Amino acid sequence: MNLTVRVWRQDSPADPGHFETFDVTDLEPSSSLLELLDRLNDDIIRDGGEPIVFESDCREGICGACGFLVNGRPHGPTPQTPACHQRLTSFRDGETITLEPLRSGAYPVIRDLMVERGVLTDVLGAGGSPDIAAGTAADADAERVGAACAEQALDFAACIGCGACVAACPNGAAALYVGAKLAHLALLPAVAFERGLRAEAMVAEMEAHFGGCSLHGDCLAVCPAAIPADALAYVAHERIRRGITRSDQ
């Protein structure tokens, strides 16, 4: 399999950047997009050039580090699949594909396909982890959680924090990401004691960095964890609940 690859090259955040085009031959159709970049970098290094900078870690669809745009779509053409699991079988032999960094005002480009997504961590740090003093946590079986509730919480907790939802949204919103974090913690009684404070802090941090939800639903189509659409509603629900009750619980 042969492909022509247009890749965004940018030396630093201040550099204007440009596209470079490469022909890559004798590819295995079962290879992933990251393996395509590995192969391309081998060719570039052999010819004395600078390899393409991109992020990857687990390559198992868990860490969320691998995201970039493929023909303008976060991660690639296969719905709800991270870039590390996107296969070249999605493209035609001889096709030209374009690879760019995730495009969002909240994600400055560090170099080539690597962007800074620290604002997602800032939102999570504002309240996305329970604050339980050592030695005070209740026993795991102290309060029963129904199977349906637990499964729903796990569906929301599946978010891997890749940030593709922000790049897909016309308004650069992070509502799917934030809603998933708020929802899975709100559903579990063991960590619901900070529910009000968590909602207030995380939504405020989100609004400081991202646009408002556009309600287009583009985020749902590219989310590799298939986060339920209910997560979008949880942002408003938790914020309104905090405003009405003024309760931390």
Side-chain angles (χ1 to χ4, degrees):
M1 183 179 190
N2 303 324
L3 290 173
T4 299
V5 185
R6 295 178 68 241
V7 184
W8 183 257
R9 306 303 304 267
Q10 186 171 337
D11 290 336
S12 69
D15 184 69
H18 63 281
F19 282 106
E20 290 185 5
T21 302
F22 305 89
D23 292 320
V24 190
T25 60
D26 297 324
L27 292 164
E28 287 292 333
S30 61
S31 297
S32 70
L33 283 172
L34 298 194
E35 290 168 336
L36 166 64
L37 286 169
D38 290 338
R39 165 69 187 283
L40 178 53
N41 275 342
D42 287 343
D43 294 344
I44 292 172
I45 292 170
R46 186 182 60 248
D47 294 338
E50 286 292 323
I52 298 162
V53 175
F54 65 98
E55 286 192 276
S56 71
D57 190 2
C58 71
R59 301 202 177 198
E60 295 179 353
I62 297 172
C63 72
C66 63
F68 49 81
L69 296 182
V70 183
N71 293 339
R73 181 185 175 93
H75 288 303
T78 304
Q80 298 178 335
T81 304
C84 60
H85 283 186
Q86 298 273 346
R87 301 295 166 182
L88 301 186
T89 50
S90 298
F91 308 101
R92 301 184 307 275
D93 185 37
E95 185 175 350
T96 297
I97 63 174
T98 300
L99 308 182
E100 302 172 75
L102 293 177
R103 298 296 188 183
S104 170
Y107 299 156
V109 176
I110 298 174
R111 187 169 182 180
D112 297 342
L113 302 180
M114 178 183 285
V115 298
E116 173 57 66
R117 291 174 293 176
V119 287
L120 298 176
T121 304
D122 292 340
V123 173
L124 196 61
S129 58
D131 184 12
I132 303 175
T136 66
D139 292 338
D141 58 354
E143 188 167 359
R144 292 186 177 182
V145 179
C149 180
E151 288 296 331
Q152 187 181 19
L154 287 172
D155 287 343
F156 290 119
C159 173
I160 61 176
C162 67
C165 53
V166 178
C169 178
N171 207 32
L176 189 68
Y177 170 77
V178 177
K181 304 302 181 185
L182 291 175
H184 96 259
L185 292 174
L187 287 166
L188 299 176
V191 291
F193 59 92
E194 294 176 317
R195 184 174 177 178
L197 290 175
R198 178 182 301 119
E200 185 174 30
M202 292 183 68
V203 171
E205 190 70 24
M206 176 190 73
E207 292 179 339
H209 299 293
F210 302 98
C213 179
S214 67
L215 299 179
H216 281 73
D218 294 14
C219 55
L220 301 172
V222 302
C223 175
I227 298 299
D230 292 356
L232 299 173
Y234 258 93
V235 175
H237 177 274
E238 293 297 294
R239 175 168 50 184
I240 293 171
R241 180 184 178 279
R242 167 65 171 170
I244 293 174
T245 66
R246 300 308 300 175
S247 170
D248 298 344
Q249 304 301 315

